[in-house]
Structure formats: structure tokens, C-alpha cells
Amino acid sequence: MKGPRAGDFCEANLYVACMTIVFDQAAKDIRAARHPEKAHRPDTPLLRKPDWIRVKAPVSRAYAETRAIVREHGLHTVCEEAGCPNIGECWAERHATMMIMGDTCTRACAFCNVKTGLPGALDADEPENVGRAVAKLGLRHVVVTSVDRDDLADGGAGHFAATIRAIRALSPGTTVEVLTPDFLRKPGSVEIVMDARPDVFNHNLETVPRLYLTVRPGARYFASLRLLERAKELTPEGFTKSGLMVGLGESREEIMQVMDDLRTAGVDFLTIGQYLQPSRKHAAVARFWEPGEFAALEQIARAKGFQMVSASPLTRSSYHADTDFEQLRRARVAGV
């Protein structure tokens, strides 16, 4: 289906201010200022997006109400900061992914649209504000992620733990999923997070090992893999999760090898989605994988033993996280 033109959206919109459609951002390159380290890089080519990638701009009343609650509590969301294509659908269901520790990341990954630079001090009130927002939204499941904070001694692990505890105190019926940084060279950090007992520990490998130096240069593949393994060691009864992007030049065989590595690390849940280029200064899309290819990857991943797999062009780490978590729990009970 075709996405709406910006002008159409502005005329039809009843509840929210006019906004740029997510998939037009790359063509206009309006976010270059968010990434000063990329400003002088040569422009990368843009591929025309296939019909199965396009989404409608958000116009619902529930979307506007979710946005208002996020603003009221002074919070950031990865939905907005990363330009997620699913924001309209998710926020219409009041599913917002909270992004803690500010809106500025100390890394400069080639794929990411979150602002980069020197972050400010942590907000001591943020954990409680997240808990209040979760309670007000009435979430049965919430995903809490963050920017990378290499400037902090624990990488922000203590702030994650405080946020988990605040959610449990203010919204006791809500299950909590954390999507953390890699805590690279921050010994003891994952132990701090797992001591707060999140229901799901998620850390995305993002891509295959061969592409790390160009796509995720501040990270190390085997360090991320070990982080996931350590989280499972610390809470064997909990769930671990990781995600991959495709379309950066990886091969099918490389993806299958990553699946095997994740299963060796005891990871329960795998997400796979299409990489979308935020601007001409970001890594280029090598190709768009077709829906049938995602279905095949899901079948392969399930055959390799993942208890839950979500694979589609628009799949993201927190997309349908609440319903996926329920399926994950049922799969474990059933012994799948």
C-alpha cells in the first residue's frame, strides 16, 4: 500500500501536529545535525522502498494521548528518537518503549538515528517518572531501553535497576523487558541489572560479525554474545532475547551462523527486521529482503530451537513485545 503524502496527513489530521513521514527522512536528510560525526561523510545511495515497507502516518486519538503522557513525565522514547516506522500502530495501543538516561548516545553506530554526542547528567527522578508513566498508560508489559553511556562507570546499569524497581513499585502488574547496551568494559554491570530481576533481558547483536567494524564499530560481537550468555547464567528462569537487522550486506549463511551462536548462548527469543536508512549519511541499504525471505528465516530459527521468533520487514525489538512475551511464556510452559 502507498504511504500518505505529508500534505494529505496535515489536512486529515485531527489530533496531532503535522509531522514528517518516517520514510521521507532519508531523502531530505533533515537529521544530519543529530550526528556531527557523520556530517562530512560522503552521501550514501538511497534505494526505492518496496510497497511492503510503507506505513501510514499516526493520526489516532490514542496516539496523541500516549504522546501527551510521555511528555507530561519528561521522558524520551526510542520510538521517536530512532524514527521507528511502527510508532503509529504501537502508540495507538499505548505501547511506548521508554528510553532512559537521556537522548544522546556516546556511540556512533552507522545505522542508528539516535542523537550522538556528550550526554548530560542522569536524572535521579527518571526511574520514578517512568514508573508513573507506565502506570498511567496501563501497560501490562513495558520495554525499557537506553542510549549507550560509556561515560558512566557502570554504563548505566544502576539506573536500569532503579527503573525496573520503580516500575514494580508503581505498576506491580506490569512485566518488564529491558533492552540494554553492551556494557563493554564495565565489569559487574549485567549483574546489577539482573539483580533487579527483569522478566526479559534483551540485547541486540544487530548484524553479523563481519560487518561490526563498519556498522557497529564501538561494539564487539563476542562481547555482546557473552553478555547474553551471562544474563541467562544469572537468571536461568528468565528470558533472554536478541535482534538482527538485515539488508546491510549480510548473507543468509551468516545469519544462520548468528542464530547458532545465540542458541549456544541460551537465547530464547529472536527478532529479525529490515534495516531502514535514516539519512544519506548513514549506512546504505544493500537490499530489501522480501516478506517470503523473512518467513523462511523464521522457520529456520524455530527449527534451531528458539522458543519465540518474530521476523518481518517491520519487526523491531519492541514491536508487539507484550503479545510476544505471552506467547513466549506459553511456549515454555508447553515445553516447546
Side-chain angles (χ1 to χ4, degrees):
M1 62 181 178
K2 291 185 178 180
R5 292 176 296 119
D8 295 339
F9 173 65
C10 294
E11 293 169 7
N13 180 20
L14 299 177
Y15 306 116
V16 296
C18 298
M19 62 178 286
T20 302
I21 297 171
V22 166
F23 299 114
D24 285 340
Q25 289 176 351
K28 295 179 181 179
D29 202 15
I30 61 173
R31 297 203 168 187
R34 294 168 62 87
H35 309 284
E37 81 289 345
K38 296 179 175 68
H40 301 294
R41 292 182 183 175
D43 287 354
T44 53
L46 293 174
L47 297 184
R48 179 178 174 79
K49 296 176 181 64
D51 289 342
W52 62 79
I53 280 295
R54 301 183 185 278
V55 297
K56 292 182 178 180
V59 295
S60 72
R61 185 183 298 278
Y63 169 90
E65 290 171 349
T66 300
R67 186 174 184 271
I69 291 170
V70 169
R71 296 289 183 273
E72 175 190 347
H73 293 85
L75 302 174
H76 301 287
T77 68
V78 75
C79 321
E80 295 173 292
E81 299 301 332
C84 181
N86 303 313
I87 188 170
E89 178 185 347
C90 292
W91 282 28
E93 300 295 327
R94 292 186 170 234
H95 298 155
T97 299
M98 306 300 175
M99 191 175 81
I100 60 175
M101 297 191 277
D103 65 349
T104 305
C105 186
T106 56
R107 301 280 176 93
C109 295
F111 64 89
C112 185
N113 199 39
V114 173
K115 184 166 61 175
T116 57
L118 182 63
L122 293 180
D123 178 0
D125 295 327
E126 186 175 52
E128 189 170 347
N129 286 335
V130 170
R132 288 196 182 110
V134 168
K136 193 163 186 177
L137 287 165
L139 300 181
R140 66 177 185 267
H141 184 81
V142 65
V143 181
V144 179
T145 189
S146 78
V147 292
D148 272 283
R149 290 299 302 259
D150 295 308
D151 58 312
L152 301 175
D154 67 352
H159 207 70
F160 263 106
T163 303
I164 295 167
R165 295 187 177 106
I167 293 169
R168 293 263 163 76
L170 294 164
S171 186
T174 304
T175 50
V176 182
E177 177 175 331
V178 294
L179 171 55
T180 78
D182 58 10
F183 299 126
L184 190 63
R185 293 181 286 275
K186 309 288 184 184
S189 292
V190 68
E191 286 79 3
I192 293 171
V193 175
M194 299 313 292
D195 187 58
R197 291 294 188 269
D199 296 282
V200 181
F201 178 87
N202 185 0
H203 173 68
N204 288 334
L205 290 185
E206 306 291 9
T207 189
V208 301
R210 176 176 58 85
L211 297 177
Y212 258 56
L213 287 180
T214 53
V215 173
R216 201 176 173 222
R220 296 296 177 265
Y221 177 79
F222 288 105
S224 286
L225 200 62
R226 175 56 185 153
L227 179 75
L228 289 158
E229 183 179 49
R230 181 60 178 152
K232 176 63 76 173
E233 290 171 353
L234 290 165
T235 57
E237 73 282 4
F239 295 102
T240 51
K241 177 178 176 181
S242 191
L244 291 172
M245 301 175 292
V246 296
L248 285 159
E250 68 293 318
S251 70
R252 180 185 171 99
E253 291 73 23
E254 286 177 310
I255 293 170
M256 290 191 290
Q257 181 61 61
V258 173
M259 290 181 186
D260 288 336
D261 291 343
L262 287 169
R263 288 300 302 129
T264 299
V267 172
D268 305 296
F269 185 176
L270 175 63
T271 61
I272 307 174
Q274 172 69 50
Y275 166 63
L276 298 174
Q277 186 177 348
S279 80
R280 290 182 179 274
K281 300 298 182 182
H282 287 76
V285 175
R287 77 177 182 96
F288 291 102
W289 288 55
E290 297 186 3
E293 294 179 285
F294 284 96
L297 289 176
E298 180 171 340
Q299 285 187 322
I300 293 168
R302 290 187 182 277
K304 287 180 180 292
F306 289 97
Q307 293 179 28
M308 183 67 196
V309 183
S310 177
S312 75
L314 292 176
T315 288
R316 298 296 183 267
S317 290
S318 54
Y319 189 45
H320 294 164
D322 56 340
T323 54
D324 286 347
F325 177 67
E326 288 302 321
Q327 291 183 49
L328 189 59
R329 287 204 291 198
R330 287 198 296 269
R332 175 171 289 180
V333 170
V336 176

